[in-house]
Amino acid sequence: NFMLTQPHSVSESPGKTVTISCTRSSGSIASNYVQWYQQRPGSAPTTVIYEDNQRPSGVPDRFSGSIDSSSNSASLTISGLKTEDEADYYCQSYDSSSVVFGGGTKLTVL
Amino acid sequence: EVQLVESGGVVVQPGGSLRLSCAASGFTFDDYTMHWVRQAPGKGLEWVSLISWDGGSTYYADSVKGRFTISRDNSKNSLYLQMNSLRTEDTALYYCAKDNPADYYYGMDVWGQGTTVTVSS
């Protein structure tokens, strides 16, 4: 099995742009899709990015996803930060018989 | 409206057993793979198990393999998690989650609100 490593926390000011990374420990990041989930305190997770870079309906285009094979990592970028974006963010991928979550990143918008 | 409602979480002693249930509505249940995901207090998400649409394939995290069993009853639109030999480290909020509509990868698109399992003497 592989691991997904995320920074524990990031912070940025409203209106700015922040990027959260997710590095895969073994195997190619491009071999399996990466999803990103947002979890606000006291709530269940919701999907903000699926299939590396696709946004579900209702998710603003301020949210974007990408992968970088050179660093074997995925990234979630949030532009035009709003206070409502403050939450925990998790990346997720899989292999043929398991699902793996990153450890989560706490985004503070201050 | 697509909805998942978990139940069955209680306080149980170490070594005990428990069965969680998840009632699904608003979608064709037997079309989808389903997952259990847990979150220990103050910690991140941990995938626990998945079951294919027909129950023919089941997979488990190493941390629960041999102790937990996932199952489903498509006639009742229900998902289950039988938890045996419970440990204090199994204490968590347990989420039921629906897999995405695409048939070629694992990723959750709908989550329940969770049910809390506490393992304590």
Side-chain angles (χ1 to χ4, degrees):
Chain A
N1 273 5
F2 62 93
M3 294 172 49
L4 297 172
T5 301
Q6 301 179 231
H8 182 68
S9 62
V10 295
S11 61
E12 191 49 272
S13 303
K16 300 293 189 179
T17 297
V18 70
T19 297
I20 299 171
S21 63
C22 171
T23 302
R24 180 166 171 156
S25 62
S26 61
S28 171
I29 192 71
S31 62
N32 306 99
Y33 287 123
V34 175
Q35 284 59 246
W36 289 90
Y37 304 96
Q38 177 191 68
Q39 186 179 35
R40 294 192 174 104
S43 296
T46 61
T47 308
V48 292
I49 294 290
Y50 67 97
E51 292 184 28
D52 296 341
N53 55 19
Q54 302 299 301
R55 274 179 293 105
S57 60
V59 173
D61 60 5
R62 302 185 296 105
F63 289 80
S64 62
S66 63
I67 62 168
D68 179 356
S69 294
S70 65
S71 59
N72 212 35
S73 63
S75 294
L76 172 68
T77 299
I78 310 172
S79 60
L81 276 168
K82 300 184 176 184
T83 55
E84 68 205 46
D85 298 331
E86 188 162 289
D88 294 327
Y89 291 85
Y90 296 90
C91 59
Q92 173 260 312
S93 193
Y94 56 93
D95 60 21
S96 60
S97 61
S98 69
V99 172
V100 178
F101 286 97
T105 298
K106 180 176 180 59
L107 169 62
T108 302
V109 182
L110 38 63
Chain B
E1 179 194 5
V2 176
Q3 197 170 14
L4 299 170
V5 179
E6 303 92 337
S7 62
V10 292
V11 178
V12 61
Q13 291 189 338
S17 297
L18 196 57
R19 188 172 92 150
L20 304 183
S21 300
C22 171
S25 59
F27 65 99
T28 305
F29 182 69
D30 56 10
D31 275 352
Y32 294 96
T33 290
M34 297 293 294
H35 301 264
W36 287 101
V37 177
R38 68 185 181 183
Q39 187 168 34
K43 302 297 185 183
L45 301 174
E46 180 188 15
W47 174 76
V48 173
S49 181
L50 73 83
I51 185 167
S52 60
W53 67 274
D54 63 350
S57 295
T58 58
Y59 299 108
Y60 300 90
D62 289 344
S63 58
V64 306
K65 201 171 294 182
R67 301 187 299 122
F68 291 10
T69 302
I70 191 172
S71 62
R72 65 192 297 162
D73 184 338
N74 288 342
S75 69
K76 296 182 178 179
N77 288 348
S78 292
L79 175 72
Y80 306 102
L81 186 68
Q82 177 67 41
M83 310 165 68
N84 297 332
S85 302
L86 282 161
R87 305 168 179 168
T88 55
E89 56 263 37
D90 295 318
T91 294
L93 180 64
Y94 283 74
Y95 291 105
C96 162
K98 170 185 166 292
D99 203 43
N100 69 90
D103 203 20
Y104 45 84
Y105 74 97
Y106 294 132
M108 300 77 176
D109 68 346
V110 178
W111 299 67
Q113 286 304 306
T115 187
T116 298
V117 173
T118 302
V119 184
S120 173
S121 54

